[in-house]
Amino acid sequence: MMQQKRYSKSKILIFLILEITVVAIGVLCSIAYGSKSIPVKDVLGYLLSLGDSGDSFEAAVISARIPRTVFGVLAGSALGVSGALMQAITRNPVADPSILGVNTGASLMVVVGIAYLNISSGLGLIGLSFIGAILTALFVYGIASFGFGGASSLKLALSGAAVSTALGSLVNTIMLPDSQVMKEFRFWQVGSIGGATWDDIRLVVPFVLVGVGLSFALASPLNAMALGDEMAISLGVKVGVVRAFSAFAGVMLCAVVTAIAGPVGFVGLMLPHLVRQLLDNDMRLIIPFSAIGGAGLLVISDVIGRVLGRPSELEVGIITAILGAPIFIWIVCGNQGRRGCEQRKITINGFEIKLTHTNRYKRHDKQ
């Protein structure tokens, strides 16, 4: 059945305003709260005066926190879009950089580059991170594709967990004997945006813009691919090209964040599912709302870690794992528990297609 798609513009607008509000509140709290709390009115005064607030201690603290906050917004957006792309090209609800072990693969290459290759430039670390991420993604997906049923949600999760554990052990093996590497990366290893600087932001921005821009351009073809490769080809979509560029964009967004902040997990898992539940399966909605929501989630998680860990802090990777683990379990259990027919709505060129899919692995009781 095909009918003209009519989005609920009011619902989309409300959700957009809600996400932007969450990001704005997260940004203010990120600048205001930490080991030393600054009144929100002072933060607003500093921002409205464009930093021309004298040389007070409060002004110095605010100035030091702004790069961390800006990087948190960029990193959260990148991870949200990366998760949405990975879920789209694998057609798997648990495809996330942390679940698939992509973060750990990127981390391993970064640590190898620093410990053995003496690479310290940000661009060099991003390149190594990208190589590690893409190799790990291909390896995990290849393992999960073996056997009956292909790369199912459960097989991808198990393969990703196994590979992530193995690669994580290699990371520890390299770091532990070298006290200098261990000191430098013990917080980075669990995911932290505390060390972000303006130089890091200038380095990351081009990659994030390219990755997010490419994901927007691929949104409509990805909608067609959700119907299956054969249907997408009949609609004129170059499936191989779209899948390759989508994988490139998703892995690049994950790798550039991991190179600077370490392996921050579950952001790309939670936001696409939230958008699908509240709005639609349309990638033209999932990608932008995952970007905005990812920014808000990461910044607020960072604030929670600083508040709970006073006078020190809990790394943001710990907080996102605490929030994301129950959602991951719910997704896997819900996906494995489906039986019979499943109906999905896909939007292509302004039309809604209702697709009914029969679960070919449905259990049949013996008579």
Side-chain angles (χ1 to χ4, degrees):
M1 177 180 181
M2 183 178 291
Q3 62 187 35
Q4 183 68 35
K5 175 66 178 176
R6 293 183 175 87
Y7 289 122
S8 173
K9 293 183 178 180
S10 60
K11 187 176 181 179
I12 294 175
L13 181 60
I14 291 172
F15 195 62
L16 176 62
I17 293 174
L18 179 62
E19 282 201 337
I20 292 176
T21 302
V22 170
V23 173
I25 293 173
V27 167
L28 287 176
C29 291
S30 178
I31 299 174
Y33 297 108
S35 58
K36 165 69 176 177
S37 296
I38 307 295
V40 175
K41 62 175 183 170
D42 291 346
V43 174
L44 291 174
Y46 182 91
L47 296 177
L48 293 176
S49 65
L50 300 179
D52 187 17
S53 299
D55 298 325
S56 64
F57 175 74
E58 287 77 10
V61 172
I62 293 173
S63 178
R65 289 176 181 170
I66 289 178
R68 176 178 189 158
T69 304
V70 173
F71 182 79
V73 171
L74 289 173
S77 298
L79 292 174
V81 175
S82 177
L85 290 174
M86 290 187 181
Q87 290 173 19
I89 60 179
T90 61
R91 300 179 197 143
N92 196 297
V94 299
D96 168 76
S98 59
I99 303 300
L100 298 182
V102 175
N103 284 344
T104 312
S107 302
L108 175 61
M109 289 301 292
V110 170
V111 172
V112 168
I114 292 172
Y116 299 126
L117 305 179
N118 294 322
I119 295 177
S120 58
S121 67
L123 191 60
L125 294 179
I126 289 175
L128 288 174
S129 179
F130 177 78
I131 293 172
I134 193 69
L135 291 177
T136 305
L138 293 174
F139 185 57
V140 169
Y141 192 78
I143 293 176
S145 299
F146 281 110
F148 181 74
S152 65
S153 300
L154 185 59
K155 289 171 67 178
L156 267 178
L158 292 174
S159 301
V163 172
S164 182
T165 301
L167 296 182
S169 299
L170 292 177
V171 171
N172 291 329
T173 301
I174 296 172
M175 291 175 60
L176 289 176
D178 193 326
S179 59
Q180 182 61 33
V181 175
M182 180 66 181
K183 181 179 179 181
E184 186 175 354
F185 285 98
R186 58 178 177 171
F187 297 118
W188 176 89
Q189 189 179 7
V190 294
S192 174
I193 62 176
T197 64
W198 286 115
D199 289 337
D200 294 330
I201 292 170
R202 282 189 286 268
L203 184 63
V204 165
V205 164
F207 293 97
V208 174
L209 290 178
V210 170
V212 174
L214 191 58
S215 68
F216 276 107
L218 295 169
S220 293
L222 287 173
N223 280 339
M225 287 174 57
L227 298 171
D229 289 355
E230 295 81 4
M231 178 67 75
I233 292 172
S234 69
L235 293 171
V237 175
K238 297 180 179 179
V239 173
V241 174
V242 172
R243 184 172 285 118
F245 275 100
S246 299
F248 172 80
V251 171
M252 181 178 66
L253 289 170
C254 167
V256 71
V257 173
T258 302
I260 305 299
V264 180
F266 293 101
V267 176
L269 177 73
M270 291 185 278
L271 269 303
H273 279 281
L274 177 64
V275 178
R276 289 189 186 96
Q277 292 294 324
L278 297 180
L279 291 179
D280 194 78
N281 284 319
D282 192 343
M283 290 297 293
R284 295 173 300 176
L285 294 177
I286 293 174
I287 289 173
F289 281 106
S290 294
I292 300 172
L297 175 62
L298 192 65
V299 171
I300 289 177
S301 297
D302 185 45
V303 174
I304 294 173
R306 279 186 271 170
V307 172
L308 293 180
R310 286 178 176 175
S312 182
E313 66 178 66
L314 295 175
E315 281 64 42
V316 67
I318 297 175
I319 302 301
T320 57
I322 293 173
L323 297 175
I327 295 177
F328 168 67
I329 295 172
W330 171 71
I331 292 171
V332 171
C333 291
N335 191 64
Q336 292 301 118
R338 292 193 184 101
R339 293 292 184 266
C341 293
E342 176 185 359
Q343 190 177 75
R344 298 185 64 193
K345 295 189 296 182
I346 304 297
T347 304
I348 302 176
N349 296 329
F351 290 89
E352 179 185 278
I353 298 177
K354 292 185 177 179
L355 179 68
T356 301
H357 169 69
T358 302
N359 189 344
R360 57 177 173 170
Y361 307 122
K362 180 180 177 182
R363 175 183 172 184
H364 295 279
D365 295 329
K366 295 182 179 180
Q367 300 297 328

